[in-house]
Amino acid sequence: MKAEQKLCRAGIMHFFRNRLVVLGLVLLATVLLYLLLPAIRQGSMEPFLNVQRMGLTGGSPAALTTSRFPKPVNITIRTGQLAGDPPLFFRETISVDAAGKMMQPRLQVVLLHGQAFTSKTWEDLGTLTLLASHGYQALALDLPDSESMKTDQNRTNLLLRFLDSLGVQAPVLISPSMSGRFSLPLLMLHSSRLRGFVAVAPVGTKLYSEQQYHSIQTPTLIVFGALDGSLGTQSLKNLSQLPHHTVVRIDGAKHACYMDKPREFHQALLIFLSELNRETLSHHGRKKEILSEEKK
Ligand SMILES: *[C@@H]1O[C@H](CO)[C@@H](O)[C@H](O)[C@H]1NC(C)=O
Ligand SMILES: *[C@@H]1O[C@H](CO)[C@@H](O)[C@H](O)[C@H]1NC(C)=O
Ligand SMILES: *[C@@H]1O[C@H](CO)[C@@H](O)[C@H](O)[C@H]1NC(C)=O
């Protein structure tokens, strides 16, 4: 009886210690970011609270917790600008391990954004830090709203310039809404350049034929809000013709489903990336459908 109580107490202590370690790391990262990067001072503390919440709530799927990778002890978000026409502003995560060395990412993830948003959206939502904490490098680009970006070729070139300038070889590209104008031409013309594609109800899916979709081998996550009646439904119908796709519908979320339900969005994203990473490691084995829970 007494021994049992002791065991139980030890269990509880262990539980709280784990939680405390996570909390401590999150707080440390928050303080460091706040002190070290004047550029993000105007930003609210919210992004880190989000990550904290995610870190503290249990129930993450086995796929996320069983994968082994060294944890970064220091994650910073650096901003930069590439010269050129037009100049490109971006944010990227820098992860440092316990030995103080910059870490090699498992995969690089490039995040585009919708019409009303910027790369800051992903920082505020906690997505950049979250990705980095799982061993990925996140790079978020501000898309220019310029007159010179009229053609598919212009927009494709812009993304290629971004990837080439930063030495990003085979990223996973996340593309919500308006950014489909940039991402879909790249997918169609240079699909071998993309390790994965995450379509969040992008515009412009109607512009491509069944044959074009069938020819793309890039593993794709189609994620959309259940309340996104127009673009969500339409892009799903078109993108479902991609041979290697997985569908995640987020209940109770509208068009910007990542804003409405960040936890669900992040979880779907992490599962997709973790599967991609496993495939990459098992030397280009047969691509398999991921997430069996496909919904119609
Ligand atoms: C965290 O990283 C930043 C920037 O890379 C560096 O200036 C800082 O010294 C690091 N802090 C720790 C505790 O490693
Ligand atoms: C956009 O494409 C047009 C036609 O190909 C070209 O003349 C123009 O220089 C391009 N603009 C940029 C910014 O690449
Ligand atoms: C794309 O979706 C639209 C609207 O649902 C549909 O009219 C069109 O035929 C679809 N195109 C392809 C190639 O599936």
Side-chain angles (χ1 to χ4, degrees), residues 85 148-149 151 154:
D85 177 28
S148 57
M149 293 292 114
T151 66
N154 284 156

